[in-house]
Amino acid sequence: MKVVALAGGVGGARLADGLAQNLPPEDLTVVVNIGDDFDFFGLHICPDLDTVCYTLAGMANPATGWGLAGETWNALENIGRLGGPTWFRLGDRDLGTHLERTRRLAKGEPLSQITGDFCRAWGIQLTVLPASDDSVPTWVYTDEGEMPFQEYFVRRQCRPSVSGFRFADVDRSSPAKGVLEAIQRADLVVICPSNPWVSVDPILAIPGILPAVMSRPVLAVSPIIGGRTVKGPAAKMYAELGIEPSALSVARHYRKFLSAFVLDREDAALQSEVQALGVKALVTATWMHTAADRRQLAAECLSLGSALL
Ligand code: FO1
């Protein structure tokens, strides 16, 4: 079964890793959000690409989900001592990724080409693609004005109340090489348990991607369990946007193209309402604590997905 997974952030990376344990590498393509990307210290930083790749390579910091395991912080400590900004924590080994990516981007190489080479170097055989090779930074409208994504997410720790999002220059962007082809030949598109507003919507907003996704069977896993997110601000964003933070709201978020939805046992009571949307609903354990949990959840997604064919 050929699968394309849409992923951003830690939850997305973890299910992508589970899918990678169930599929041969040639049958899985992970399309990753680039809306979190930003320039800092003159470096182009791609947090979701790095979180997905580090996770797939088994190198991610297990506690945070982002950055590298066994990291050291000498450069950041020195920056702090010099009075520089330390709010976005850049580890010494992680800096190597940003330095090399920035060097190659400055030579005009597309992000998708660089990502493919990095995956080979990290021993990742499946295909990881940025949603676009263009820069489409997410801006967050808040009660304290509009701010760039990482300013909201890390520096302000998601505290401001959100009222909307903007994907800058998205209308001028295009899917990275290979993205549309992968979606069009996919038997199943899996929307990982990532933030619908700032991890999945920015991917679907890239011209061409939503129509391609809508032409395929689509399965999504809820990032909200019992009205709360495992990690990140998705539930808080729903509430601030005046929408009930629930797995059902997530199913409604994707209802234009959803064929199947996976929700946690804690939300079993919502199953019939999800089915009333015309969507097959699977209730199972969706909280991924271990590699075995990731593998199991992915296997259940694939068996539900194969029922859609
Ligand atoms: N997230 C944080 O909450 N605090 C950080 O200091 C931080 C640093 C960081 C460095 C590299 C990287 O690839 C990701 C990093 N993240 C950090 C996560 C980042 O904010 C992502 O955008 C989130 O994981 C949401 O996708």
Side-chain angles (χ1 to χ4, degrees), residues 9 36 47-48 66 87-89 94 149-150 153-154:
D36 292 10
D48 281 356
W66 52 263
W87 58 270
F88 194 82
R89 297 185 53 71
D94 193 33
F149 180 79
Q150 295 299 346
F153 188 90
V154 178

Side-chain angles (χ1 to χ4, degrees), residues 233-273:
K236 177 175 179 284
M237 288 177 169
Y238 269 106
E240 288 160 359
L241 293 165
I243 302 169
E244 165 80 20
S246 72
L248 179 59
S249 295
V250 176
R252 287 189 181 126
H253 196 104
Y254 298 135
R255 67 180 306 166
K256 277 196 299 186
F257 47 76
L258 206 53
S259 315
F261 192 66
V262 181
L263 56 166
D264 193 80
R265 290 204 184 102
E266 207 173 315
D267 296 312
L270 297 175
Q271 183 175 23
S272 54
E273 288 180 83

Side-chain angles (χ1 to χ4, degrees), residues 2 29 47 61 119 139-140 156 183 186 212 248 253 257 280 308:
K2 290 220 174 286
T29 298
N61 175 330
C119 282
W139 285 71
V140 185
R156 304 299 315 283
I183 295 171
L248 179 59
H253 196 104
F257 47 76
K280 280 186 187 306
L308 303 174

